Amino acid sequence: MKILVPVKRAIDYNVKVRVKPDNTGVDLTNAKMSINPFCEIAVEEAVRLKEKGVATEIVAVSIGDKAVQEQLRTALALGADRAIQVDTDLALDSLQVAKLLQKVVEEEQPELIILGKQSIDSDNNQTGQMLAALTGMPQGTFASEVSVEDGTVSVTREIDGGLQTVKLTLPAVVTTDLRLNEPRYASLPNIMKAKRKPLDVKAAGDYGVSLESNVKVVKVTPPAQREGGVKVADVAELVDKLKNEAKVIS
Amino acid sequence: MSEQLIHPKEMTFQLYELLDTEALCSRARFAEHSRETFDAILDTANKIASEKFAPHNAKGDQNEPKFDGHKVTMLDEVKQAFDAYRESGFIAGRYDFDDGGMQLPETVINACSGYFLAANPSSTAYAFLTTAAANVICHFASDELKQQFMPRMLTGEFTGTMALTEPHAGSSLADIRTMATPQDDGTYRLKGSKIYISGGEHELSDNIVHLVLAKTPGAPEGVKGISLFIVPKYRLDENGQPGKRNDVSLAGLIHKMGYRGTTSTALSFGDNDDCHGYLIGERHHGLKYMFMMMNEARIGVGYGAAMIGYRGYRYALEYAKDRVQGRKPGSKEQVAIIEHGDVRRMLLAQKAYCEGGMALCFYGARLVDDLATIEDESQRSATRELLDLLTPVCKAWPSEYGPKANDLAIQVLGGAGYTREYPVEQYWRDNRLNPIHEGTNGIQALDLMTRKLWQANSLGLQTLKERIVTDMEQAQGEVSQRLRKALTAHLSRFEQLLPGIGKALNSEQLDPALANAQCVMNAFAHIVIGWMWMRQATVSEKALSAEDLNADDKHFYHGKVQAAQYYAAWELPTIERDFQLIESMDNACSAMQAEWF
Ligand SMILES: Cc1cc2nc3c(=O)[nH]c(=O)nc-3n(C[C@H](O)[C@H](O)[C@H](O)COP(=O)(O)OP(=O)(O)OC[C@H]3O[C@@H](n4cnc5c(N)ncnc54)[C@H](O)[C@@H]3O)c2cc1C
Ligand SMILES: Cc1cc2nc3c(=O)[nH]c(=O)nc-3n(C[C@H](O)[C@H](O)[C@H](O)COP(=O)(O)OP(=O)(O)OC[C@H]3O[C@@H](n4cnc5c(N)ncnc54)[C@H](O)[C@@H]3O)c2cc1C
């Protein structure tokens, strides 16, 4: 079974995000960039399926300029077998990404596609769902457990009320939640091996997908500063405040 | 509070801007590597250090390992951290591909180690000791012993220790008493006690491989009669697996002021006359073997001191930006304490001490790489002598000034710094070990003064001078030139004093000379660190002249230049006192009598 894992280059989760002074976006100069944590979980899940003998090949794909090769190398060091960079300088949004991925899926014919449920830079939570719709594949989103058997994949999903398990016929799209697994660290020998694994570069323009975005960023502002808390004297005061100030209980 | 263990640009500055580490990739030994690989490896180090080591640094301090008479227990987090480290292949990092290693340059290993030392020096010790012990086995043990122990040490299935010190013999290893008696089958039986042995007992690994210094019957007196043995906690069975418990036992754990997460052990060898040991190399060469691996170990100690100091500096820096206290003259607005000149002084001093020490240790690591890869014989001997000369400085200066930096971090935090709610007091306690172990700083000063300055007709000193002069030619910016001028004067003064030191060492002046060894170390080390700051200032001033520099880089380089200026203005002039003491060979200390105290 072949698994396709799309990975995104995103600002490292440890970096204190700074908004550009002109409010056009996040200041990425010199910021440490990493593989989006949800995508890393996706890679890990694929590698585990391969280690279990379920998967035979893992292909990592990333869309962006040459810099994304760094994240693809990380995916290769974590255990992907080969990588594809869909080369573009444009900042795409979810729909273009999903459309490009659809073309990659047509070429690669994977039986399972595992994506992160969202990326920590834009938090859209759309690409997996869009890709499923475009390819007509069933989807299991927010996975906290994945098991493959007899041409199907069972996905335990984290939903508001608890857990829901869906059984999908392959080929299918799965998006990962945080609790699916704890990704391994890229070991030194695997970092070395990753250097020799194949990484193909394909021009985004060659896929015949319109890369024009329908979404316009109007303004980016930092979240409001958190205000300092207050100490309450006793439970009665706390209840009073919750009732009358915060109005969260009645 | 500080989000990153180390400033994101510091390691790349040290590796690629101060030292051309990429150039190493053109040498056969490192030809498989590229900057891309180095960066990915650094990234893994940073990640594991931040996620697995840093979070339990304080908890490990508060929960020392315990011994119930049978077993040593410690926080689960230590094992998880150790496993993450070993599974990622860091223990084997510097070893040959043929030995299952990654053949990485020492310089890069050093950069990786920096993250772990900054995150949690105590939990890091188990892995570092294992690498060091394996290094001795790798170079000097027979192929058979190497096969039995080294591969599993490099994977961390086995861990290692260095068992040198005895209750009555610390600085003076010549006087050790542990005996090793040869048996008909070629093995030895050991008997004796060792103390302060780090990592001497724990449950982190399947076996503990002690490297033990001992004497054989009839061996010559002193250091020439010392041999080195492998003594495993579990003897290997016929399949090479850990089997029968060897007769080495934990007499007790030692309770320390810092480094509390590392077990410090008193070990008994041969209580039941059945402690099996295996000779490494030849008899009577034990101390020599240990010392041949000592350069790396000593650089490691100095570097650790610089990194713990650095951690405190970064913490104090963040605190100073947040803590609002007092006003600027003539203003009503309260300001963050970083706005006060005196607080900036304390932060700059920490920066100057730690990044100066760091740069020197990177330089030392690079010399280790050069020694492993340069073929030209005359260049090799110059490199070897320079490394030998700088090693006591790499060990002693950062370990003297790292704790000073931690002391200032406490001061920046004010009352908070003195409490256990904040981490800086622990940093100070942890760092206080570094002037003591791996040869006390007193011993380092003696080593420099009585041996290293003169060894091989002072080829080391000659090489050092040449290198400083070469770097001076590049020193063009304002601060670089200021350091260049000062260093030129200090170097020539030091040289003028040298014959006097030599003469004193060979006359009835010997006692006052030895009593002033610290001054020789101080003066010499201040020149060496001044050189390191001149190098950092040179690169930074050059970088600042570029036009398209982004704001972050600008701040970074300005910071380096300012710290270099601090070093030139505040620290380097203290050398005068040492010069005067060396010149006069003052006998205040040597003439003092025990009864007069
Ligand atoms: C936490 C910790 C971990 C350690 N880990 C290990 C380990 O893993 N393995 C190991 O073998 N050892 C280890 N040691 C031991 C350490 O190396 C010794 O403590 C150190 O070498 C000093 O020896 P000592 O304690 O006997 O002090 P001493 O030798 O008694 O020295 C006391 C003082 O006298 C001075 N002094 C001694 N001799 C001279 C001299 N000739 N001239 C001038 N001054 C002198 C010293 O500089 C020092 O200030 C560890 C120690 C500690 C505290
Ligand atoms: C163990 C202990 C016992 C104590 N006992 C008492 C007690 O019994 N009664 C009591 O009232 N207090 C007590 N204190 C408080 C103590 O006096 C304060 O901690 C001390 O005055 C420093 O204040 P701070 O901790 O708020 O530090 P800060 O004032 O925040 O100072 C932090 C750093 O900023 C520097 N700084 C601050 N303002 C300026 C400025 N304008 N210019 C230059 N530098 C500046 C300081 O020198 C310091 O290095 C105690 C503290 C401790 C730790």
Side-chain angles (χ1 to χ4, degrees), chain A residues 12-16 18 27 29-35 40 69-70 73-74 182 184-192 195-196, chain B residues 3-4 9 32-34 36-37 40-41 43-44 46-48 50-52 84 87-90 93 97 102 104 318 550 552-553:
Chain A
D12 188 82
Y13 74 95
N14 263 316
V15 175
K16 220 187 246 166
R18 281 181 310 200
D27 186 2
T29 26
N30 274 14
K32 183 171 158 44
M33 304 295 282
S34 295
I35 195 167
E40 202 175 0
Q69 289 189 7
E70 203 185 308
R73 289 283 171 213
T74 307
E182 192 188 330
R184 69 197 64 197
Y185 298 105
S187 73
L188 274 49
N190 288 340
I191 288 170
M192 293 277 295
K195 269 175 68 170
R196 288 186 213 97
Chain B
E3 40 184 301
Q4 307 253 12
K9 198 174 160 68
E32 292 278 307
H33 297 302
S34 61
E36 195 188 28
T37 318
I41 288 168
D43 211 42
T44 294
N46 188 5
K47 237 175 152 176
I48 298 180
S50 307
E51 293 171 9
K52 296 284 179 191
E87 283 163 9
S88 300
F90 278 108
F97 290 131
M102 299 300 301
L104 283 169
E318 293 301 316
N550 69 54
D552 286 339
D553 283 349

Side-chain angles (χ1 to χ4, degrees), chain B residues 420-439:
Chain B
R420 283 183 279 171
E421 310 296 311
Y422 289 83
V424 287
E425 60 88 29
Q426 183 195 340
Y427 299 154
W428 182 80
R429 285 187 288 106
D430 284 347
N431 217 351
R432 193 57 190 82
L433 170 63
N434 288 317
I436 297 171
H437 69 158
E438 233 15 90

Side-chain angles (χ1 to χ4, degrees), chain B residues 41-183:
Chain B
I41 288 168
L42 282 174
D43 211 42
T44 294
N46 188 5
K47 237 175 152 176
I48 298 180
S50 307
E51 293 171 9
K52 296 284 179 191
F53 281 80
H56 72 278
N57 191 37
K59 195 172 170 194
D61 181 62
Q62 291 150 12
N63 298 274
E64 282 184 285
K66 288 196 181 65
F67 181 47
D68 63 5
H70 302 282
K71 217 169 159 177
V72 169
T73 49
M74 59 178 83
L75 292 182
D76 292 342
E77 287 93 328
V78 182
K79 169 103 178 119
Q80 289 157 15
F82 177 74
D83 284 346
Y85 187 94
R86 69 182 199 87
E87 283 163 9
S88 300
F90 278 108
I91 298 178
R94 62 162 68 86
Y95 290 85
D96 292 359
F97 290 131
D98 288 344
D99 289 325
M102 299 300 301
Q103 229 158 286
L104 283 169
E106 191 68 24
T107 330
V108 173
I109 292 288
N110 204 57
C112 294
S113 302
Y115 291 102
F116 295 101
L117 289 163
N120 188 333
S122 296
S123 292
T124 297
Y126 300 101
F128 282 23
L129 281 161
T130 302
T131 315
N135 207 11
V136 176
I137 295 177
C138 177
H139 280 83
F140 305 113
S142 66
D143 283 345
E144 191 191 347
L145 283 176
K146 219 176 125 172
Q147 262 321 307
Q148 284 175 333
F149 294 101
M150 200 175 89
R152 278 175 286 184
M153 290 174 83
L154 294 191
T155 56
E157 289 157 275
F158 292 2
T159 47
T161 75
M162 300 283 200
L164 288 63
T165 309
E166 298 183 5
H168 63 283
S171 298
S172 175
L173 292 171
D175 302 314
I176 60 162
R177 291 182 196 142
T178 297
M179 280 302 290
T181 312
Q183 308 294 305

Side-chain angles (χ1 to χ4, degrees), chain B residues 513-571:
Chain B
L514 294 181
N516 287 312
Q518 206 58 55
C519 304
V520 176
M521 169 61 89
N522 261 331
F524 183 70
H526 270 76
I527 292 172
V528 170
I529 299 291
W531 168 42
M532 287 298 131
W533 272 113
M534 184 183 76
R535 286 167 55 85
Q536 302 194 65
T538 301
V539 170
S540 302
E541 290 186 314
K542 214 173 269 171
L544 279 168
S545 65
E547 274 173 15
D548 54 349
L549 210 57
N550 69 54
D552 286 339
D553 283 349
K554 241 184 227 164
H555 295 326
F556 180 85
Y557 292 122
H558 275 304
K560 285 286 181 193
V561 174
Q562 210 65 20
Q565 184 186 333
Y566 175 88
Y567 187 86
W570 289 70
E571 197 54 49

Side-chain angles (χ1 to χ4, degrees), chain B residues 319 323 325-326 337 340 342-343 346 411-416 418:
Chain B
Y319 183 90
R323 170 74 173 169
Q325 194 76 188
I337 57 171
H340 300 309
D342 188 54
V343 171
M346 293 190 278
Q411 191 66 14
V412 168
L413 267 71
Y418 190 73

Side-chain angles (χ1 to χ4, degrees), chain A residues 63 86-90 92 100 202-211:
Chain A
I63 302 169
V86 178
D87 188 31
T88 173
D89 290 337
L90 299 172
L92 307 178
L100 283 170
K202 304 194 171 172
D206 294 352
Y207 285 98
V209 171
S210 159
L211 299 178

